[in-house]
Amino acid sequence: MKVYKYRSNYQRDILSLSLNQLFAPTYNNLNDPFEGMFNDKEDKKILELLKRFDTDSLEKAYEELVTMVKKKGIYSLCKTYDNEILWALYSDSHQGFVIEYDLDILLNDFNFNQLTPFVHTVEVKYKDSPQKSMIIIDSFNKRMDLANIIATKSLSWKHENEIRLIFEEPGINTFNFKAVTSIIFGLRASDKDINNVMNLLKGRGLKYYKMTTYTDSYKLKITDLQDQFIHTSEYIQNKAPFDENLLSDENIFAEYQIYKDYLKEIVTYVSSLPNIIKIDSIEIYGEIDKPKINILTTTSLKLLPVRLFQYQYIDKVFVQTN
């Protein structure tokens, strides 16, 4: 799925993009003063009915949960790139640009641990009154709909067609540069700004486009742009260090030496991924004709400081299995 971010500041936003960073603020730093508003009447009724029990603990847990949700980071995206209102509001009256993300790639290097996902995706609901939170009922049913609290807006915002990434840690987050698939410039973007962006993002295999208008319609259309730096060497995002001895003959048994070149290739790939700061161990084991590989790494993510990569040799190639 492709999603889009409308941007206007060529210095700040392109610098962040060149560093493969996005900023996810908490809800109270967003531009809608009604962010986080919800109808808690049902929750309060249930708390009142439970007064005969340990209501102080329940109320405290309830407030802590609401506070926790509101402290998460929010990165707002759109499902379309040709919304003329958003170009006017968020892209400097069509002088800015839009970032196109591949959502699956964007999430992959954050949600590698299925038990502890780092990012949740929610589609914003647009309503004429605040959404019922239903926190307590949801907890009884062992589920939690974050959209009820953190992704409901008034009908006035419906034109934004918004999808949100909810980060466990707000602030700056580093993503895989391959998640950005193209840059779309506004119809009033200058040649100077376009050239500067292409220069800063060269070597990433990006596609570039520019919006134009139809002569007989209010709709915007997209046109291809030639990358001015297409012959630049390939960009490498990261080079996490690792001890060369991990690939030595002492660490790799003789029967697995035939896979040593594959190991080097996989380790190079893993060390290039975002948020990997060190490769701690490399293990190859199992049947000689169908071996498995485990690579344990240290990450820069506070919530998930360790990441395990698992591979298996299938049809003459190593395939990641986790």
Side-chain angles (χ1 to χ4, degrees):
M1 178 181 180
K2 296 295 179 67
V3 289
Y4 304 90
K5 184 71 172 179
Y6 289 76
R7 298 280 73 187
S8 62
N9 190 315
Y10 279 97
Q11 291 184 331
R12 179 197 65 200
D13 296 329
I14 290 298
L15 176 60
S16 296
L17 195 55
S18 70
L19 295 173
N20 311 303
Q21 295 176 339
L22 58 82
F23 182 74
T26 54
Y27 88 100
N28 58 331
N29 288 314
L30 299 177
N31 61 356
D32 181 1
F34 298 106
E35 286 285 357
M37 177 180 287
F38 58 91
N39 182 343
D40 62 357
K41 291 180 180 179
E42 294 294 329
D43 291 331
K44 296 298 185 183
K45 284 181 182 179
I46 296 173
L47 286 173
E48 187 68 25
L49 291 172
L50 295 175
K51 268 191 173 181
R52 70 186 69 179
F53 304 104
D54 188 6
T55 184
D56 289 338
S57 297
L58 286 170
E59 287 192 70
K60 183 179 180 182
Y62 176 83
E63 296 300 332
E64 287 177 351
L65 179 60
V66 172
T67 300
M68 178 192 70
V69 171
K70 290 185 176 182
K71 284 184 177 180
K72 296 182 184 294
I74 301 173
Y75 192 60
S76 299
L77 296 161
C78 181
K79 299 176 186 176
T80 60
Y81 60 82
D82 56 356
N83 187 315
E84 61 181 285
I85 297 177
L86 299 190
W87 274 107
L89 292 176
Y90 298 124
S91 290
D92 193 18
S93 299
H94 299 263
Q95 297 179 82
F97 59 97
V98 162
I99 306 167
E100 179 185 70
Y101 292 103
D102 183 307
L103 186 58
D104 292 331
I105 298 176
L106 185 60
L107 295 175
N108 186 58
D109 287 296
F110 290 117
N111 291 348
F112 53 84
N113 187 323
Q114 294 183 357
L115 297 177
T116 312
F118 190 78
V119 184
H120 302 272
T121 306
V122 295
E123 295 194 19
V124 173
K125 302 173 184 177
Y126 302 97
K127 297 181 174 291
D128 56 6
S129 60
Q131 175 75 18
K132 292 181 180 180
S133 59
M134 310 298 286
I135 292 173
I136 296 178
I137 292 177
D138 280 351
S139 65
F140 287 156
N141 294 323
K142 297 182 179 181
R143 64 184 293 273
M144 173 59 67
D145 187 355
L146 293 176
N148 290 342
I149 303 175
I150 210 166
T152 302
K153 296 168 71 74
S154 75
L155 290 172
S156 301
W157 296 85
K158 190 174 182 179
H159 63 274
E160 295 202 342
N161 200 14
E162 185 179 349
I163 183 171
R164 288 181 169 179
L165 304 186
I166 311 300
F167 284 80
E168 290 297 323
E169 294 178 7
I172 295 174
N173 289 279
T174 302
F175 59 86
N176 190 325
F177 82 95
K178 292 182 179 179
V180 177
T181 50
S182 74
I183 302 296
I184 306 166
F185 296 98
L187 61 90
R188 293 173 178 164
S190 70
D191 291 340
K192 179 181 178 181
D193 285 332
I194 292 173
N195 190 74
N196 286 340
V197 170
M198 290 182 176
N199 186 24
L200 282 171
L201 301 181
K202 60 190 176 185
R204 301 176 188 230
L206 291 174
K207 293 183 179 180
Y208 294 98
Y209 304 96
K210 188 173 183 180
M211 303 305 295
T212 59
T213 58
Y214 289 96
T215 57
D216 58 351
S217 169
Y218 285 129
K219 293 182 179 180
L220 296 169
K221 66 178 180 178
I222 191 169
T223 58
D224 292 336
L225 287 181
Q226 178 65 46
D227 184 355
Q228 300 301 311
F229 301 88
I230 195 169
H231 298 298
T232 305
S233 57
E234 185 179 356
Y235 170 78
I236 298 174
Q237 178 169 359
N238 187 25
K239 289 184 179 180
F242 65 92
D243 187 344
E244 293 288 347
N245 288 326
L246 294 175
L247 293 173
S248 68
D249 294 344
E250 295 178 1
N251 193 52
I252 302 172
F253 294 128
E255 57 265 36
Y256 298 114
Q257 289 292 325
I258 57 174
Y259 299 108
K260 197 167 184 178
D261 288 340
Y262 288 105
L263 270 173
K264 290 180 180 178
E265 185 178 330
I266 292 171
V267 169
T268 300
Y269 166 73
V270 170
S271 68
S272 73
L273 293 175
N275 303 306
I276 303 297
I277 59 177
K278 183 184 177 184
I279 293 179
D280 299 298
S281 66
I282 301 169
E283 177 188 23
I284 182 168
Y285 63 99
E287 300 175 33
I288 300 302
D289 58 341
K290 292 188 293 185
K292 297 179 180 180
I293 294 174
N294 287 342
I295 300 177
L296 189 65
T297 68
T298 299
T299 83
S300 57
L301 301 174
K302 294 179 182 178
L303 185 67
L304 298 167
V306 174
R307 181 175 181 181
L308 175 66
F309 294 84
Q310 296 177 309
Y311 291 84
Q312 183 166 10
Y313 196 67
I314 302 172
D315 295 332
K316 298 182 179 182
V317 65
F318 278 99
V319 178
Q320 188 171 352
T321 57
N322 69 333

